Amino acid sequence: MMVHANGPQKITLSPPINKCGFKSVINEKKSKFNPIANGIKPNTAVKAVNNMLLAVNLCSVAEGFTALKAHGVDLHAALDCINAASGKSGVTETVLPQRILNRSFPLTFALPLLAKDTGIALDLIREAKLSAPVIALTQSLIQASSDLSNQDSDFSSAVKIYESWTALHWTCRKNVGFCS
């Protein structure tokens, strides 16, 4: 149940949050969505929070792998261990190996759009007068990454801000399987 400005309303989420653009995330008997905060509709709120969770994970993975890199750990071997353990996530299973470690950063979801969504998620937190320091810091990091990047940068390129702060760059040596 979600509380709207007009009172509580039962909502149904379409698993897995409808990968077709969140168009039917919430079914309220085919009626128009009622804004929940500052004109933000529930489907937009769910999308923003989903993308904030992606951003939090992306930033934490970037920080963790930067620490491993600083200590000379083989990033490929570390990734294999993490993906076989409790730290695995969508970021470690797909984004890191398919976009970041191979340095491809293909444009699938623009970093400025991630910054926008994390801003919406933070607005939702503030509107509800909640405390969410991790979300606030993550939004700042994603916004800073976006501000320092090209407009056509993929969301995965947000990790480059950590590389610029530390001068540690993640690279993979092709045909060797060793990432350093």
Side-chain angles (χ1 to χ4, degrees), residues 17-127:
I17 312 182
N18 186 355
K19 292 187 177 183
C20 297
F22 295 87
K23 291 181 181 172
S24 62
V25 172
I26 298 174
N27 177 355
E28 294 181 12
K29 298 179 184 174
K30 297 184 180 180
S31 65
K32 289 190 173 187
F33 296 134
N34 296 318
I36 58 173
N38 288 334
I40 298 171
K41 295 179 180 178
N43 58 331
T44 302
V46 172
K47 178 180 179 270
V49 169
N50 176 71
N51 286 336
M52 176 55 84
L53 296 174
L54 167 68
V56 168
N57 192 243
L58 182 64
C59 289
S60 66
V61 167
E63 291 176 13
F65 275 77
T66 298
L68 293 173
K69 167 79 174 176
H71 289 281
V73 174
D74 176 339
L75 298 183
H76 183 73
L79 182 61
D80 287 344
C81 290
I82 289 167
N83 282 338
S86 60
K88 72 179 173 184
S89 68
V91 170
T92 63
E93 291 183 320
T94 59
V95 177
L96 191 59
Q98 296 173 12
R99 297 165 184 263
I100 298 170
L101 290 178
N102 67 12
R103 311 308 289 173
S104 67
F105 303 104
L107 181 57
T108 58
F109 180 53
L111 181 56
L113 293 177
L114 181 61
K116 176 184 174 188
D117 284 349
T118 59
I120 291 169
L122 186 57
D123 288 346
L124 289 168
I125 297 293
R126 290 178 176 154
E127 180 74 21

Side-chain angles (χ1 to χ4, degrees), residues 103-155:
R103 311 308 289 173
S104 67
F105 303 104
L107 181 57
T108 58
F109 180 53
L111 181 56
L113 293 177
L114 181 61
K116 176 184 174 188
D117 284 349
T118 59
I120 291 169
L122 186 57
D123 288 346
L124 289 168
I125 297 293
R126 290 178 176 154
E127 180 74 21
K129 296 180 176 31
L130 299 172
S131 176
V134 172
I135 286 175
L137 181 56
T138 300
Q139 201 289 318
S140 294
L141 292 168
I142 294 297
Q143 188 62 59
S145 295
S146 179
D147 292 346
L148 295 171
S149 299
N150 294 331
Q151 288 294 312
D152 62 348
S153 295
D154 185 65
F155 75 94

